[in-house]
Amino acid sequence: MDFYDDVLRELLVAMGAALFVGNLLALLRRRAPAPVTEEGEALPRAPLARTLTYLVIGFVVAVWGIASLAAS
């Protein structure tokens, strides 16, 4: 197997995992009370449907990358 193929697969796992973890944290933060700015305005929350969609996409990409690494 070529070095660049392995690096590409590792990047696939890393990007998928980052997408999954980032959206999981956004989902957990969404459940907490919204933080307030110094002006007294609530910060916007991440849309639920988009967050869940990206969460699933990140999980699938990370698992796909892990399976590709294991198969090589």
Side-chain angles (χ1 to χ4, degrees):
M1 197 53 49
D2 191 33
F3 171 76
Y4 295 108
D5 290 337
D6 286 339
V7 170
L8 186 61
R9 289 184 182 110
E10 291 169 359
L11 285 173
L12 191 68
V13 173
M15 293 298 291
L19 185 64
F20 177 79
V21 170
N23 282 286
L24 181 64
L25 291 175
L27 187 63
L28 295 175
R29 182 175 172 254
R30 178 179 169 75
R31 302 206 189 283
V36 179
T37 64
E38 293 176 2
E39 291 81 28
E41 299 174 3
L43 294 175
R45 294 184 178 192
L48 184 61
R50 183 188 70 190
T51 303
L52 290 176
T53 302
Y54 288 167
L55 187 78
V56 170
I57 291 171
F59 181 76
V60 169
V61 169
V63 169
W64 190 338
I66 290 170
S68 295
L69 280 172
S72 63

